[in-house]
Amino acid sequence: MGSADVSAVLDVQEPAAVAGLADVFPQDRYPFPRQAVADRWREEIASADVECLVAEEDGTVVGFAAVRGDELLHLGTALERWGTGVAQELHDLVVDHLRSRGVRRAWCWVFTDNRRGRRFYEKQGWRPTGETSRSGFPPHAELLRHARDLSEPARPR
């Protein structure tokens, strides 16, 4: 992913975040912070320790991911691709990438109230650690840390 991809990534990320995180960020009070998220993507792209990736089909962005060291920072797919296997494929590619870099145990933050997201990650073998944090975006929703031993395969689908 490069800076030129940010707009296309946001076009994928925003509708999916609005739909998937409606319980976490009610849009009437906390609309998607498009400019702040764009700025964050640009900072991450410029950072030497963050790898930002896009998934494309026929030249169209259908997903995105970012990793920093042993942390999965972001993973998402276009709303219209939910349930098609794109997220699974992207997840597996990111996990394989982390393994190839020698990462043995990876971790990520998932909104505690993001039931769909938590189900997805837990189905892939990620386990809640009990550690919590808060989002930088209002209403500063709780995040739950998940970890995964990369030497173990994901649970069967």
Side-chain angles (χ1 to χ4, degrees), residues 11 14-17 21 23 32 35 41 66 70 74 78 92 95 103-104 107-108 114 126 133 138 140 144 146 157:
D11 288 346
E14 183 173 359
L21 298 174
D23 291 340
F32 185 80
Q35 187 57 53
W41 274 118
D70 59 354
H74 312 291
D92 292 350
V95 167
V103 174
R104 303 255 190 277
W107 63 278
C108 66
N114 179 1
W126 298 81
S133 183
H140 308 289
L144 179 61
H146 283 64
R157 290 173 220 144

Side-chain angles (χ1 to χ4, degrees), residues 22-146:
D23 291 340
V24 179
F25 297 100
Q27 290 300 291
D28 59 333
R29 292 191 318 254
Y30 305 104
F32 185 80
R34 190 175 176 100
Q35 187 57 53
V37 174
D39 292 344
R40 183 181 67 189
W41 274 118
R42 287 185 185 93
E43 288 173 16
E44 290 171 349
I45 289 166
S47 176
D49 65 338
V50 177
E51 296 173 87
C52 300
L53 312 162
V54 293
E56 295 182 337
E57 286 182 2
D58 300 322
T60 300
V61 174
V62 296
F64 56 86
V67 297
R68 176 178 49 215
D70 59 354
E71 179 183 11
L72 172 59
L73 288 171
H74 312 291
L75 185 121
T77 62
L79 182 60
E80 63 273 10
R81 301 304 171 108
W82 285 9
T84 66
V86 171
Q88 179 69 56
E89 186 176 344
L90 181 57
H91 170 271
D92 292 350
L93 289 169
V94 170
V95 167
D96 287 345
H97 176 68
L98 289 169
R99 280 187 186 119
S100 76
R101 290 187 19 244
V103 174
R104 303 255 190 277
R105 184 169 175 82
W107 63 278
C108 66
W109 292 107
V110 182
F111 286 106
T112 301
D113 290 334
N114 179 1
R115 289 178 283 286
R116 179 183 177 90
R118 288 184 59 191
R119 271 193 315 272
F120 173 81
Y121 284 107
E122 290 169 18
K123 184 178 176 183
Q124 309 312 314
W126 298 81
R127 297 291 169 251
T129 67
E131 182 180 348
T132 61
S133 183
R134 292 283 174 183
S135 167
F137 296 110
H140 308 289
E142 184 178 80
L143 294 154
L144 179 61
R145 186 173 167 144
H146 283 64

